[in-house]
């Protein structure tokens, strides 16, 4: 069985990413709370527009039960990163993830725990490859 392909990612400008990071780091928030978390000179209406765009993109959900709407991220950092990597591989590498992954491994420092996790993932991938389509858990 092949893994499910991630949903394609829509473009996420840096200003929208800042709002998404504020939701990831601080949890659900109103526009006013996001404005405080962002700690910059943006206007209330600008933050409201940014969060509305994130809702429209399906990355944030709005709880409209109260007068002040509460927004929460519905996609995590890892999921969004996975979608972005898939998009890069699809767009630049004709769907081939290996060249991208190899390049990242060559250029990045990893903790011993991360290296151990890579070994586990590679062993599982090798086992799947040897087991073929009919190979299941032993």
């Amino acid at each position: 069985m092949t893994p499910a392909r991630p949903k394609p990612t829509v473009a996420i400008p840096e200003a929208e990413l800042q709002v998404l990071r504020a939701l990831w780091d601080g949890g659900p928030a109103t526009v006013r709370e996001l404005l405080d978390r962002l700690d910059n000179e943006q206007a209330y209406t600008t933050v409201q527009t940014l969060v509305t765009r994130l809702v429209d993109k399906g990355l944030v959900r709005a709880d409209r039960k109260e007068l002040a709407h509460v927004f929460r991220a519905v996609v995590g950092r890892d999921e969004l990163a996975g979608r972005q990597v898939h998009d890069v591989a699809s767009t630049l590498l004709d769907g081939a993830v290996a060249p991208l992954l190899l390049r990242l491994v060559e250029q990045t420092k990893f903790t011993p725990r991360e290296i151990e996790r890579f070994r586990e993932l590679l062993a599982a991938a090798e086992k799947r490859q040897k087991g073929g389509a009919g190979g299941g858990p032993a």
Side-chain angles (χ1 to χ4, degrees), residues 18-38:
Q18 287 178 348
V19 171
L20 201 47
R21 285 185 195 112
L23 289 170
W24 286 331
D25 294 343
T30 63
V31 172
R32 177 72 53 208
E33 291 166 338
L34 285 169
L35 192 59
D36 292 341
R37 288 181 196 173
L38 292 170

Side-chain angles (χ1 to χ4, degrees), residues 48-59:
Q48 189 172 34
T49 298
L50 293 171
V51 78
T52 299
R53 288 179 186 165
L54 290 168
V55 169
D56 292 344
K57 292 176 181 182
L59 301 172

